[in-house]
Amino acid sequence: MYRKKAWRILGLLMVALLVLLIAGGCGGKSATQNNAPSQEKKEGTAATSGKYPEKPITIIVPYAAGGSTDALARAIEKVWTKYCPQPVMIVNKPGAGGVEGREFVKTSKPDGYTLMIGYGSGEDLIGPQLQKVPYDPLKDFTPIARMSIHSTIICVPGNSQFKSMQELINWAKTSKQPVTASVSTATGNVNITMRGIGKVTGINIVPIPHQGGAQAITDLIGGHTIVGGGSGNEVAPHIQAGRLRPLAVDLPERDPAFPDVPTLKEQGINFYSWGSVKGIAAPAGTPKEVVDYLAGVLKKVSEDPEFKESMKNLYQPILYMGPEEYQKFFKEAYDYFGKLIKDLNITLQ
């Protein structure tokens, strides 16, 4: 009896095995195979998911908090989610005068989730033409949008003896003393403006670099330097409170936000600058569809009434450009500053 029962069990097992073999031969798949994606997703390109953005986007500010670039980033952050389903996270990454933050973005995955704001500042248009940096501003970044251009307002402490640029220049020539100048970074627009003034007037201006505009202005207010400069939002509150006195703007024409402040040229100083360009960029290789999507969001941000009001309060004009137009503008500005550096024989030494 036991032998018959054993043969019956063995027979059932053989039938089950035969069924499995037939199913496999007819193209059956395991549960794991049925759940696998039909096509492997390419690594490093957000566009392949078709759902960009799927997570928060990080915008790197390569300067300390409180400066003009940081203020612009915060203004964008306030209205961003009106036009994008994912929020932005603003991360300050100062160091080496704006270089560390740029290098971080350069080496980030080009998937649209790590961006940089401030693209077009001195560390992109000026610095690489004065010193070796670990990035090529023309090749290592993909322009997304230009948002603004900030003029440099040249100031002295509120209790300074100088009421005009000419008074400052006359003092420097008579006393033979160096004119210390508080500047945001070693390769920023404020620095090249100060060096340009020194070159064309023949006075000894010694720039003192900082980790951003906010720190530079704090030192100027404290009387640690004779002169300094910054963008409108960095200096305007201190001018209104009497802590700073504006002497000049570095643009070819007066800044509408500071109509009572004369240009350098008006005061007989044959020098002007384009100011500090503020754009947003991604690592080179970021897919075009991602760049176009982000440019579209930023275009809507630039037209938002709340953003316009914030920019007005920051003394920053809105001057939006899309990717292609901004790339062309960037190259023209880069060449302009290159010629200016050569003509004035400006070096970092």
Side-chain angles (χ1 to χ4, degrees):
M1 185 175 81
Y2 290 110
R3 184 176 296 175
K4 288 181 179 180
K5 188 174 182 180
W7 279 109
R8 189 180 298 117
I9 292 172
L10 181 61
L12 290 172
L13 289 173
M14 291 179 68
V15 170
L17 179 61
L18 181 62
V19 170
L20 289 173
L21 289 172
I22 292 172
C26 291
K29 294 181 181 179
S30 68
T32 302
Q33 287 173 316
N34 284 328
N35 290 334
S38 59
Q39 184 176 2
E40 187 177 347
K41 190 183 294 182
K42 293 180 181 180
E43 185 177 356
T45 56
T48 56
S49 70
K51 297 179 181 178
Y52 176 85
E54 297 180 299
K55 60 182 181 179
I57 297 164
T58 298
I59 296 182
I60 300 296
V61 178
Y63 311 105
S68 60
T69 304
D70 181 68
L72 172 59
R74 307 292 169 178
I76 292 172
E77 180 186 28
K78 283 173 62 178
V79 302
W80 178 272
T81 50
K82 292 182 184 180
Y83 310 106
C84 181
Q86 294 290 343
V88 291
M89 298 186 298
I90 308 300
V91 177
N92 294 88
K93 204 170 185 65
V99 171
E100 287 186 12
R102 284 169 170 78
E103 186 176 13
F104 178 84
V105 174
K106 168 196 166 181
T107 56
S108 296
K109 185 181 292 186
D111 57 5
Y113 291 105
T114 304
L115 312 177
M116 179 186 76
I117 191 167
Y119 181 65
S121 296
E123 289 69 43
D124 306 302
L125 297 177
I126 300 170
Q129 307 194 68
L130 291 172
Q131 64 180 4
K132 186 176 181 180
V133 293
Y135 57 87
D136 184 327
L138 298 172
K139 297 179 180 179
D140 291 333
F141 301 99
T142 299
I144 296 173
R146 188 188 76 180
M147 299 301 289
S148 182
I149 297 178
H150 309 166
S151 65
T152 293
I153 315 298
I154 300 164
C155 299
V156 291
N159 59 359
S160 171
Q161 62 178 303
F162 306 117
K163 304 295 193 300
S164 69
M165 287 299 299
Q166 196 57 57
E167 288 185 10
L168 175 60
I169 293 167
N170 290 342
W171 173 84
K173 288 183 175 180
T174 302
S175 68
K176 308 296 184 182
Q177 296 293 316
V179 178
T180 53
S182 189
V183 304
S184 55
T185 62
T187 55
N189 184 70
V190 183
N191 187 16
I192 199 169
T193 291
M194 292 300 175
R195 290 179 177 275
I197 293 170
K199 286 287 183 180
V200 300
T201 61
I203 65 175
N204 181 20
I205 295 183
V206 181
I208 309 297
H210 294 73
Q211 288 297 326
Q215 294 178 1
I217 295 303
T218 297
D219 269 6
L220 177 61
I221 292 170
H224 301 294
T225 60
I226 294 172
V227 69
S231 63
N233 77 287
E234 291 169 340
V235 302
H238 304 297
I239 291 173
Q240 293 166 359
R243 292 186 289 269
L244 290 177
R245 179 184 300 132
L247 299 185
V249 295
D250 68 344
L251 299 180
E253 299 177 353
R254 293 197 182 195
D255 188 329
F258 297 86
D260 297 328
V261 182
T263 65
L264 290 168
K265 282 203 164 188
E266 286 180 77
Q267 301 181 69
I269 302 169
N270 190 28
F271 178 87
Y272 71 89
S273 168
W274 277 14
S276 183
V277 182
K278 301 298 181 187
I280 294 177
T286 300
K288 184 179 185 303
E289 54 267 41
V290 173
V291 171
D292 289 343
Y293 173 85
L294 291 167
V297 171
L298 289 165
K299 179 71 163 63
K300 293 174 183 176
V301 166
S302 72
E303 297 168 347
D304 182 271
E306 185 181 355
F307 179 73
K308 288 182 177 180
E309 185 65 22
S310 294
M311 293 293 278
K312 179 181 177 182
N313 294 333
L314 292 171
Y315 299 89
Q316 296 185 20
I318 299 172
L319 299 166
Y320 176 88
M321 276 186 176
E324 293 79 13
E325 189 180 9
Y326 184 39
Q327 185 172 39
K328 181 179 178 182
F329 170 89
F330 187 97
K331 181 62 167 59
E332 290 176 354
Y334 186 88
D335 291 344
Y336 167 83
F337 277 113
K339 184 177 185 302
L340 182 64
I341 290 167
K342 183 178 180 180
D343 290 346
L344 296 176
N345 193 27
I346 295 174
T347 66
L348 288 180
Q349 282 72 35

